[in-house]
Amino acid sequence: MSICFDSSLEEAPPHVSLKCKGPPSNHSTDLSSLSDSESDREGYVNTDEEKDYNGCFEGPEKTLEVCFKPNVGATEGCRGLTRSQLDKICMRARCTILSRISNNYLDAYVLSESSLFIYKYKVVIKTCGTTTLLRCIAYLLKNAGVKLGMELEWVGYSRKNFTFPGDQLYPHSNFNQELQYLKKHQHLSARLNGHGHVLGPITGDHWFVYVADKYDRPDFTATDRIINIMMFDLHPDKAIMFERTDKEDSEQKFFMTGEKAAAGMTSKAGIDSLVPGAMIDACAFEPCGYSMNAIQFESYYTIHVTPEQTCSYASFETNNPYRSYRSIINNVLNVFRPKRFVLTMMADEAGLKTMLESPFEQVVVDVPTFGRYQRTSLSSTKVEGDCCCVLANFNLNVTSSMGFRKRTQSQI
């Protein structure tokens, strides 16, 4: 196991776990004492913070997952949150809802910056760019707890280290600031009282994880698994598929809707073949960029693409409990063909036991007709009892790659 700290954590004590300490008294999960004024104040969005786009976009997402105790509160659970309430949650995170699809198990929303998934007793929000994801948590807990009568059970927040940390807004300048933000809420910290962890090499791609676990049911009842593939430096032939080409004139006007343009990207890139039989909702952005949600029974899949040459990135995440991830990982890599990728998993210990093989056991990942990826680091830890977090970094072996040709001496 490798646990390292980002340079942004210089003020933090040099130990493995960072703890947001709440009051030492009874840590209730009752949410009724969160006032509307407190939620609104902490969710306030200062438009003066807006920064000009400088050609670089922070693709890797921040992810917040909030779980509530089953069979407590409103019959519809979190799915009873109104559209107005969801809009306000997103506003605090500095994003907006673009579209929605639903089935009997969940509602999936494509956001202007990534995705939102709402189950009966769980909410998952992913936001990219300079969003302020943690600013929405107090408002979410207030509405779920007081207005729906739900009881908090588990909170997880995670993200990869930023490529452009200087662009981030409060409270996301660094991981220590994020932890302090959770700690400074008098009511919030008493309910969360979680721990922060860092996995991966300080000199490379690493992963920040915060977990607060109030789970008091038998461990074998929790079998969730979420896997995320974060891909960097996409092959140019793949990245260009996610640029809009339907310009009407030189003023950057486009004649297709975002949904229609996205349908073409989904088919051309082969994304639809990654999720056969799933309901797909995709959107293309102007002048480039792509987001997709897909749902199938209780599982969600989400893909987000930033194709700009200076910061090309794509991510694939799902909570589908594959017995083996080998095929889906290879297929995703073949769609985007990155020069490097980061593989992460957050899973309950009981969920790991249902796998036939671990995707992190692979030292080498071969993508037929393209190339070979070599694992360069592997980190893992167990947090809050039975939550297992694993990270692996992989780099493309250029000498074996058929997509990125290495120049010969005569070409130099």
Side-chain angles (χ1 to χ4, degrees):
M1 180 177 74
S2 172
I3 305 288
C4 302
F5 286 94
D6 188 298
S7 58
S8 62
L9 298 178
E10 291 176 354
E11 296 178 1
H15 48 68
V16 170
S17 177
L18 294 177
K19 186 173 183 179
C20 287
K21 296 182 179 179
S25 57
N26 178 40
H27 299 299
S28 168
T29 53
D30 173 52
L31 303 174
S32 60
S33 58
L34 275 174
S35 66
D36 282 320
S37 60
E38 178 179 17
S39 299
D40 291 340
R41 183 174 64 254
E42 297 305 337
Y44 173 71
V45 177
N46 183 356
T47 56
D48 291 338
E49 291 178 334
E50 192 70 43
K51 296 184 178 181
D52 293 333
Y53 177 63
N54 59 7
C56 298
F57 185 81
E58 190 69 58
E61 300 87 356
K62 311 172 184 80
T63 302
L64 176 67
E65 180 175 339
V66 181
C67 301
F68 299 89
K69 186 172 291 186
N71 304 315
V72 176
T75 303
E76 293 182 327
C78 295
R79 299 183 79 179
L81 290 167
T82 66
R83 174 58 188 265
S84 175
Q85 290 170 330
L86 295 177
D87 284 338
K88 290 179 180 178
I89 288 170
C90 291
M91 179 190 73
R92 286 157 171 75
R94 296 172 60 87
C95 58
T96 57
I97 293 174
L98 300 181
S99 60
R100 165 189 167 177
I101 53 174
S102 299
N103 63 15
N104 291 334
Y105 301 96
L106 74 151
D107 306 309
Y109 297 83
V110 172
L111 305 180
S112 56
E113 280 81 15
S114 299
S115 298
L116 166 65
F117 303 97
I118 299 184
Y119 291 81
K120 192 172 183 179
Y121 301 112
K122 177 170 65 178
V123 174
V124 180
I125 312 177
K126 298 179 65 67
T127 64
C128 57
T130 58
T131 50
T132 52
L133 181 56
L134 288 181
R135 290 186 185 179
C136 77
I137 189 170
Y139 187 83
L140 169 61
L141 296 183
K142 170 66 180 178
N143 282 273
V146 177
K147 298 183 180 179
L148 298 179
M150 305 184 72
E151 186 174 335
L152 181 64
E153 186 171 68
W154 192 93
V155 175
Y157 170 74
S158 62
R159 66 169 175 84
K160 182 190 165 295
N161 58 301
F162 293 125
T163 305
F164 310 105
D167 293 342
Q168 295 298 314
L169 305 176
Y170 178 82
H172 296 286
S173 296
N174 55 64
F175 192 46
N176 192 51
Q177 186 181 79
E178 292 167 326
L179 295 181
Q180 291 302 317
Y181 180 81
L182 294 171
K183 178 181 177 181
K184 78 181 184 68
H185 287 271
Q186 180 182 356
H187 298 297
L188 211 53
S189 63
R191 286 151 185 81
L192 300 185
N193 194 37
H195 295 73
H197 304 262
V198 190
L199 292 85
I202 187 63
T203 55
D205 295 317
H206 46 283
W207 188 35
F208 297 103
V209 177
Y210 169 89
V211 172
D213 192 351
K214 307 299 178 184
Y215 197 86
D216 59 3
R217 291 176 282 138
D219 289 344
F220 64 81
T221 63
T223 58
D224 290 345
R225 278 188 267 126
I226 297 178
I227 194 165
N228 189 8
I229 310 172
M230 294 175 276
M231 297 162 281
F232 301 85
D233 298 325
L234 311 183
H235 192 286
D237 292 346
K238 299 294 185 176
I240 200 172
M241 294 181 183
F242 301 96
E243 296 181 2
R244 298 286 294 270
T245 58
D246 54 313
K247 295 179 183 178
E248 280 190 335
D249 52 41
S250 59
E251 296 182 358
Q252 294 287 315
K253 292 183 179 180
F254 297 84
F255 64 84
M256 286 188 187
T257 63
E259 292 79 7
K260 185 175 181 181
M265 295 177 182
T266 301
S267 176
K268 185 177 181 180
I271 289 174
D272 49 352
S273 65
L274 297 176
V275 289
M279 184 189 309
I280 295 176
D281 179 21
C283 183
F285 298 93
E286 301 176 3
C288 62
Y290 172 92
S291 286
M292 183 280 285
N293 289 337
I295 57 177
Q296 191 171 36
F297 301 106
E298 297 181 66
S299 298
Y300 72 78
Y301 311 80
T302 185
I303 291 175
H304 303 282
V305 184
T306 300
E308 289 97 320
Q309 185 177 0
T310 56
C311 52
S312 64
Y313 168 83
S315 66
F316 172 90
E317 178 176 298
T318 183
N319 63 349
N320 186 329
Y322 290 102
R323 298 295 300 279
S324 170
Y325 291 91
R326 189 180 296 266
S327 292
I328 187 63
I329 290 174
N330 282 19
N331 291 340
V332 169
L333 292 174
N334 194 43
V335 166
F336 297 102
R337 300 191 171 186
K339 286 187 177 179
R340 78 180 200 276
F341 71 94
V342 180
L343 183 68
T344 66
M345 177 182 286
M346 186 177 290
D348 295 301
E349 196 167 17
L352 295 178
K353 296 177 180 178
T354 64
M355 294 191 302
L356 292 176
E357 60 178 352
S358 169
F360 298 92
E361 294 174 354
Q362 291 182 266
V363 177
V364 171
V365 176
D366 285 312
V367 178
T369 73
F370 178 58
R372 168 174 293 182
Y373 293 90
Q374 186 78 33
R375 194 183 71 196
T376 59
S377 68
L378 176 65
S379 307
S380 65
T381 190
K382 186 187 294 185
V383 302
E384 300 292 318
D386 70 333
C387 179
C388 301
C389 302
V390 192
L391 170 144
N393 292 322
F394 291 83
N395 286 343
L396 181 66
N397 186 335
V398 179
T399 58
S400 66
S401 170
M402 300 177 186
F404 290 97
R405 293 175 54 194
K406 188 174 182 180
R407 293 186 297 175
T408 63
Q409 185 65 34
S410 60
Q411 292 175 304
I412 300 176

